[in-house]
Structures are given as C-alpha cells and as structure tokens.
Amino acid sequence: MPPKVMQTTIQCSQCRQPVRATVQSLVDAAQDPQAKVTLLAGRLNMTQCPNCGTPNSILTPLLYHDGGKELLISYVPMELGLSKDAQEKAIGDLMRELTSNLPQGTFKAYMLQPRQALTMQGLVEQVLQSDGVTPEMLEAQRARVRLVEMMINASPETLPELVKQHDAEIDSSFLNTMTMIIQQFAGEGRVQVAERVAEIQNRVVELSTFGKELLEQSRMQETVVAEVAEAINALGHGANRTDFRNLAIKFASDDQRLQALVGLVRPAFDYTFFQEFTTFIAQSPAAERDALTALREKLTQLTAMVDQQAQMELQEAVSLLRELMSSPNPDEFIQENLPLFDTTFMQVLSLNVQEAQKRGDLAASARLKEIYNRVISALQTNMPPELRFINDLLGAPSDAEANALLDQHAQTFGPSLLAAFDAVEGQLAGQASPALIERFDMVRQRAAQLISN
Ligand SMILES: [Zn+2]
C-alpha cells in the first residue's frame, strides 16, 4: 500500500526555474515511519531548487494518520484559497484513499472527525504532542536553537560574554542540540558551516561552567585510564589470570579503575577467570570472602556492560549497512548519514566483503565492494582539505611522488597542515602498517621543514 505520492513540477519562488518535486498528501505513520520523520524534520513537501538552492514548499492538502495513537489530523493550507466545500472534498478524497488501504474491520470512530491543523507547524506540534513532547519542551528546544544561532552570529570577541550571560542554559541538552545542528549542516553538504559550529561548540565547552565540569571529568577519566593502562603494562607480556585478579583486588574499592581495567583487557576476564576466582574465594580466609564475592559480581557486570556496548555498536553498523544496501540512492543515503560511517561500520563492511568472497558469492562481494568505494569517496570529499591532502601523500605510489606533492602544496596549507598531521597520528597508531607509519613520519618531517621556512 504505497502512500499517496506524486511527482509534479513547480516554479522556484526565487529564480522562477521549473523544479521537479515530490508531493505527498497522505502520511500513515504506521505504514511509512520515514514519512513521519520527514514531516517532523520540516522536509515533507519541501524541495530545494537545484538551480539557486532556495527551499520551496509545495502547498497541498494533507492527511496525517497514526492508527496506534488513534490520531487523524487534516491540514489544508490557507494559501490554496479553497472554499469550505472544496476543503471538505479534498480531505474526503484523502480519507477514502486512507480507509481503502486499511485492513478490514480496523475503521474506528476517531476517523469520522479528523482534527484540524491550521499550519504545518501546528500539525507537527500535534504529532509531537502525541509522542509525549509537550509545548514547553518544544519551546525549550526552540530557545536552545535560538541561542545556537546567536552564538553563530557572535564574533569570537563577544562569544565569551554571550556564554557568560547564558551559562545556566548550557547543559547536556544544549550541547546535544549543537551536535544535532552540526550533523544537519554536514548532512546538507554545508561542511564549512558545520565545522564552524563545531569550533564554537568547543569554545562553549571551554567557557561554560557545565562544559568545564565535563572537561574536568573527562580529564580525570583519561588519567584513570592512563594509570590503569600503566599498571597493566607493568604486568608484562607473561601476565596471567592471577595477575589480573590481583590487579582487580587492588582496585576493588574504585569503580572507575575497575571499569577501565575491564574495558582495556576484556579478553582477560573470560569464563576460566571467573571459575578460578570462585575457587580462590573458597580458599580465602572467611573474613575476606564477602568482599571478594562482591568484587567478582561487579566484574561480571562490567564485562556484560563492555560486551553490550560493543554489541550495540555492531548492530547499529549492521543495520546501517542493510539500509544502505537497499537504498535506491546510496550516495544520497551516505551523505545524509555521514557521521554514522565510523570505524565500526568500515570493519563490518570489510567483514561482509570477506564473507561474501569466502562463500563464492561474486555478485554480493562486487556489490559490497562498490558500496565500500562509495563510502570511502564520500568520507574523503567531506574531509577537511588538510586531511585529504595527507591521505593523498600516504597513498602516493612512491616516496618521491609524495615529496613532490608536498613541495608543491605544503606552503598553501601552512601551519594547519601540521595540526592535521598531529590529529592523524593518534588514528594511525596501532592500526597502520609499519610502511605506512614510515611514510607518515617522512612526509610529516618534510612538511614541518617546508612550512617553518
Ligand atoms: Zn531557484
């Protein structure tokens, strides 16, 4: 049962060029959850002019239905200037369309009298309210967006004062809103604006009370993780389960250190570890057994937590891949979801390619490889130019060619290139081949010489 969707041609309100547009006049949230998402994002019946970029809204009567919530809302734009009769006929037609698609016997009384929305905004608010989003929550969210806008428009000099004035409003919801706005810009391909907002977000974190607390917390966490990592390293290569048990006992009263320990060396806490732990408890002095049992229990919970996190990331990556594979327009899908294509996703994708090859399924492996290339090229085009350049340097066929590239372009980038090298270094450690690391060190040194001169 396809929702009522039509293609039409409108004239751009700005440049007057004809624009192809999709019009949807019936949204059934149960059958088409994506249409609901589009509606809530304000993108339903909106089309961006390919010529001048102006967003054009297509005015059409609209019927929104969500059977699970017994919600039926009609919206007839006033701008259409329809008489009352014509309005009723338009909605009546959509109602017939809707009910003819419903399974037998599901017609209910609420369908006789749709609620009315006077504006698209009003329709969106009614839908959100049925999801438990109150007008107060919406207003709070709008206030956050307004504050982000003020920050974008503020100069670097006036930003600290603005943050100070609104310090009480800067909390995790506010920072999440900023992240959402960054993702929206990036999704629309407006990478420079996205980067600018990301820079502002960093400064807001540094300047605000809430942000300072966050930074302090994450610094403390980093210290804890570094200390625990050092303790693990001190055990040396021959470390066995008894060593890890002793370390856990040492950290027994410190949840943060225990969590870091399990997170860093999850494989050490296997089935045998817990078996041996049980034996150890039985052999320990009676006075110590309760505390040890509590510790074993805590370690069990922590391993489950670590596994669950890894599992969730994996599942998200798998379902993202599935969506991408079934998308009629993979490139668009990739652009819209770019931040989701992370290391976990790339791992899942490579595993799938290998698996298809092992099975001898050539069609699947070719399709997966094609998807792989599309994702890589999208990630590369969206990279800051410095990173793309470093990528080119690392991928150059020979050292000589890498050096030639550097000599030609290093100075145009200036110091920002050196900063990009620093940023890449962390990502490279542990995953790159020795040859790649050697190339990296070489080009970095040469870049530093070229740019400082
Ligand atoms: Zn236009």
Side-chain angles (χ1 to χ4, degrees):
M1 284 168 277
K4 202 173 177 197
V5 177
M6 287 180 314
Q7 294 292 323
T8 185
T9 301
I10 57 160
Q11 197 182 38
C12 172
S13 61
Q14 183 67 35
C15 70
R16 303 281 149 202
Q17 291 292 312
V19 180
R20 289 291 284 165
T22 307
V23 192
Q24 183 160 356
S25 48
L26 186 59
V27 172
D28 196 319
Q31 289 173 22
D32 187 3
Q34 189 54 45
K36 178 182 171 184
V37 174
T38 312
L39 173 84
L40 293 182
R43 292 201 306 266
L44 191 77
N45 297 334
M46 284 289 275
T47 256
Q48 200 176 17
C49 171
N51 188 44
C52 71
T54 304
N56 288 277
S57 61
I58 301 121
L59 296 169
T60 177
L62 182 65
L63 192 62
Y64 178 90
H65 180 234
D66 188 337
K69 298 204 164 80
E70 302 209 341
L71 192 64
L72 185 66
I73 311 168
S74 70
Y75 163 57
V76 183
M78 273 179 287
E79 295 89 331
L80 289 176
L82 295 184
S83 68
K84 189 135 181 50
D85 283 353
Q87 287 186 25
E88 274 168 16
K89 182 178 179 310
I91 294 303
D93 287 347
L94 291 171
M95 274 300 295
R96 255 189 304 287
E97 172 99 16
L98 173 72
T99 47
S100 69
N101 281 336
L102 288 174
Q104 282 276 305
T106 51
F107 190 86
K108 291 198 181 146
Y110 74 88
M111 293 182 191
L112 293 169
Q113 191 64 58
R115 299 196 212 173
Q116 277 182 20
L118 296 176
T119 60
M120 198 65 168
Q121 182 60 30
L123 172 62
V124 166
E125 283 181 16
Q126 287 190 41
V127 173
L128 283 172
Q129 268 182 52
S130 76
D131 285 340
V133 181
T134 64
E136 291 76 27
M137 287 155 81
L138 284 177
E139 182 43 42
Q141 181 59 17
R142 272 188 223 116
R144 287 184 201 111
V145 174
R146 277 197 300 270
L147 183 52
V148 176
E149 283 166 359
M150 279 161 74
M151 287 173 171
I152 295 175
N153 292 326
S155 69
E157 296 75 36
T158 55
L159 186 67
E161 185 53 36
L162 190 62
V163 171
K164 204 169 153 192
Q165 275 170 14
H166 294 271
D167 195 51
E169 295 152 57
I170 296 168
D171 55 10
S172 61
S173 305
F174 178 75
L175 293 178
N176 286 341
T177 303
M178 284 196 100
T179 306
M180 190 191 75
I181 289 173
I182 294 167
Q183 286 171 349
Q184 273 174 5
F185 280 132
E188 289 167 14
R190 297 162 72 184
V191 182
Q192 280 183 334
V193 194
E195 278 170 10
R196 204 168 110 61
V197 182
E199 271 166 36
I200 296 172
Q201 190 185 36
N202 286 338
R203 287 205 66 204
V204 170
V205 169
E206 284 163 12
L207 292 165
S208 62
T209 309
F210 177 78
K212 282 178 194 154
E213 280 167 18
L214 267 189
L215 283 179
E216 181 56 29
Q217 269 175 23
S218 81
R219 261 196 289 272
M220 267 172 54
Q221 264 169 12
E222 275 170 31
T223 320
V224 166
V225 171
E227 275 175 30
V228 174
E230 205 173 311
I232 294 170
N233 283 334
L235 294 177
H237 282 303
N240 58 28
R241 295 190 179 86
T242 311
D243 296 325
F244 285 113
R245 187 174 66 223
N246 289 335
L247 210 50
I249 292 172
K250 193 176 144 199
F251 296 145
S253 61
D254 186 335
D255 280 7
Q256 280 198 325
R257 282 180 173 69
L258 276 185
Q259 196 176 339
L261 178 64
V262 176
L264 285 168
V265 282
R266 166 69 185 87
F269 298 90
D270 58 1
Y271 183 69
T272 314
F273 174 89
F274 286 104
Q275 260 184 333
E276 290 180 8
F277 206 139
T278 306
T279 317
F280 175 75
I281 294 174
Q283 291 163 349
S284 298
E288 291 171 15
R289 280 180 211 155
D290 279 355
L292 287 171
T293 309
L295 174 60
R296 186 189 53 193
E297 188 53 33
K298 185 163 280 167
L299 289 172
T300 315
Q301 286 168 5
L302 287 172
T303 53
M305 212 173 79
V306 170
D307 291 351
Q308 209 184 359
Q309 266 168 14
Q311 190 63 30
M312 260 166 50
E313 279 171 24
L314 217 58
Q315 271 169 2
E316 274 168 23
V318 170
S319 61
L320 183 66
L321 177 59
R322 206 175 300 136
E323 275 181 72
L324 175 55
M325 297 283 286
S326 60
S327 165
N329 191 343
D331 287 329
E332 200 171 290
F333 183 87
I334 294 169
Q335 286 302 334
E336 279 170 4
N337 298 284
L338 208 59
L340 300 179
F341 292 95
D342 55 6
T343 343
T344 313
F345 177 83
M346 296 316 280
Q347 278 167 353
V348 165
L349 183 48
S350 324
L351 281 175
N352 273 276
V353 174
Q354 286 170 22
E355 202 262 338
Q357 282 169 341
K358 254 189 233 152
R359 263 187 298 136
D361 189 340
L362 293 179
S365 92
R367 174 110 176 82
L368 283 160
K369 271 192 217 155
E370 183 216 311
I371 291 278
Y372 185 91
N373 291 336
R374 281 178 197 270
V375 174
I376 292 286
S377 86
L379 289 173
Q380 282 173 349
T381 2
N382 281 279
M383 262 186 219
E386 289 86 356
L387 289 185
R388 225 181 311 159
F389 183 58
I390 294 179
N391 227 22
D392 291 345
L393 292 173
L394 296 179
S398 69
D399 285 354
E401 278 163 89
N403 283 336
L405 266 179
L406 251 182
D407 294 347
Q408 217 179 333
H409 300 289
Q411 258 141 2
T412 8
F413 285 106
S416 68
L417 182 63
L418 301 179
F421 270 110
D422 294 344
V424 172
E425 188 182 24
Q427 292 173 19
L428 229 51
Q431 9 184 328
S433 67
L436 195 61
I437 291 181
E438 208 173 294
R439 165 72 66 85
F440 179 81
D441 289 338
M442 181 198 85
V443 285
R444 183 195 207 167
Q445 242 175 28
R446 195 179 177 94
Q449 281 165 3
L450 287 167
I451 288 165
S452 63
N453 285 340

